[in-house]
Every structure is written in structure tokens, then in C-alpha cells.
Amino acid sequence: MIVNNSHNDGARETNKIKNRQAIIEAGIHTFIAKGVAETTVRDIIRSTGLASGTFYNYFNSKEEVLVAIFDDFAKEIGKTVRDDDAQPRDFEEFLRIKLTRFFKFVSSKPEIFMIMSNNHNLVNTFSINTPQFIIEIDYLKEEINDYIEKGVFPNFDVDLFALVIRPITDSLAQEMMSQKKIDINKYTEKCINFLTRGLGV
């Protein structure tokens, strides 16, 4: 008798995804409510309703949960920013497209801002150093280099751009989110002006 395990495998995979997401969402709520320093693994587990053993199937510590939160955030940003429908005519238009998408996305994720604003000593930028953030920066560099090779953008130091884009956009995003009225266009233009003047393009 041949047993088809594909259905069981699919159900297990779905359950794994749900459990991981439940832990991450519990982490977000707990970090906001108690602060990263005061939060314990037990606090997160209690918020999920899962068994403690289940937590340790996915994460070894609360710090790993925090990194996962920001890693998922980076992945979502990447998908949003890397929409390839637009064809910029120059570098400034490229920045305007990418930064508008970035600031819009950030404004739709106030919970990430709340984790940072409540935990300045531990989390002081959107781009907490995670593997996915590094990958997304590499994607951005590849895209810019391709436009430079095609002659659409002037030739400039792309590595320098990659080095400065994160702290600049992070700082402006945090400033934007702290305002009573969020003005995406204002912060997009502020960022473009700073970057183009600093890079000499």
C-alpha cells in the first residue's frame, strides 16, 4: 500500500508558518508593551498561546525574535521598493520612486516605529543589521550599476551610496513617524536633496 504524505507535509509546513508568524506578532506586541530589555521569552510565549517547546523550535532567544521582526520588515520593504514597472529617466527620478515607496511602506508599519522609539538604547534604526537588509542593499546596488552601465545614471561611487542610504533614510523615517502629520513627499525630497548633493550627482 502506497501512502501519499504530500498532504501531511503541506499541512505541517502551513502549521510551521503559522507558528512562526504567531511568535513574531507576539514579539512585536510584547516589545511595544514592555520594552525589549524587560521582555522575556516567557512573556512572548505567554502571548502566543503556544507551548514553550514550540517557541524553541523556531527561536533560541528574544533577540532572535527581534532580528526576525526586522528581517521580515526588510523583505517586505524590498518587495515594495523593487517594483520594476517604473522606468526612471535619471537618478533623481529613480530616488523619488524608491524613496516614496519606502516612506509609504514605513508609514503603514507604525508598530516597527513604536519598537524603536520605545527602545532607543537597543534599537536605534529601522535597518537593524539583519541578513535580509544586507541582501536588499545588494539588490539596490545591482540595479543602480545596471542603470550606470546603460548610461541612464552618471557614474558615481555606488558603494558610498550603499553606505549612506541606510542611516539617512532610517533617520528621516523616524523623524517623519514622530510628526503628528506624516508628509511623505516632504521627507522624500529632503532625502533626495541630501543624497544628490552629497554624492555630487
Side-chain angles (χ1 to χ4, degrees):
M1 180 179 176
I2 298 173
V3 178
N4 188 344
N5 289 321
S6 60
H7 176 73
N8 289 336
D9 290 344
R12 275 196 294 269
E13 189 59 32
T14 299
N15 196 47
K16 283 171 65 177
I17 293 169
K18 286 183 178 178
N19 286 344
R20 182 184 182 277
Q21 191 58 36
I23 293 168
I24 287 175
E25 288 177 3
I28 290 171
H29 297 313
T30 311
F31 289 143
I32 291 171
K34 299 193 70 172
V36 174
E38 297 301 319
T39 293
T40 65
V41 168
R42 184 176 294 179
D43 292 328
I44 297 173
I45 293 170
R46 191 179 297 120
S47 295
T48 65
L50 299 171
S52 59
T54 303
F55 176 93
Y56 288 105
N57 286 334
Y58 300 88
F59 302 103
N60 293 315
S61 65
K62 67 177 182 181
E63 288 78 14
E64 286 190 7
V65 176
L66 184 65
V67 169
I69 290 168
F70 281 89
D71 220 32
D72 285 1
F73 182 65
K75 193 176 296 183
E76 290 183 67
I77 287 175
K79 288 178 183 177
T80 302
V81 171
R82 284 201 311 274
D83 184 342
D84 293 327
D85 291 341
Q87 295 295 319
R89 292 166 295 181
D90 53 36
F91 183 59
E92 185 171 316
E93 186 176 356
F94 173 84
L95 285 177
R96 186 166 288 108
I97 292 166
K98 300 293 187 184
L99 291 168
T100 299
R101 291 173 181 167
F102 170 76
F103 287 123
K104 278 184 178 178
F105 182 80
V106 166
S107 68
S108 75
K109 296 286 182 178
E111 67 274 16
I112 302 296
F113 170 72
M114 289 179 71
I115 290 175
M116 292 185 303
S117 62
N118 293 343
N119 299 277
H120 279 304
N121 293 335
L122 294 172
V123 185
N124 55 19
T125 66
F126 278 92
S127 58
I128 186 172
N129 207 17
T130 75
Q132 192 64 39
F133 266 110
I134 294 168
I135 289 170
E136 296 305 333
I137 291 294
D138 285 342
Y139 281 141
L140 188 60
K141 287 170 64 177
E142 287 174 14
E143 194 173 357
I144 292 171
N145 279 319
D146 185 51
Y147 278 114
I148 290 174
E149 288 175 12
K150 291 176 180 176
V152 179
F153 296 170
N155 193 2
F156 62 89
D157 191 335
V158 180
D159 288 330
L160 175 61
F161 171 83
L163 187 66
V164 301
I165 186 67
R166 295 172 63 189
I168 292 169
T169 53
D170 292 344
S171 297
L172 288 174
Q174 290 188 59
E175 182 183 314
M176 179 187 75
M177 292 297 290
S178 69
Q179 305 300 308
K180 289 182 179 179
K181 182 180 179 182
I182 293 175
D183 189 336
I184 291 167
N185 290 335
K186 173 184 174 182
Y187 282 91
T188 295
E189 296 306 318
K190 280 181 74 170
C191 196
I192 289 170
N193 289 338
F194 188 92
L195 286 168
T196 54
R197 286 203 306 268
L199 291 167
V201 297

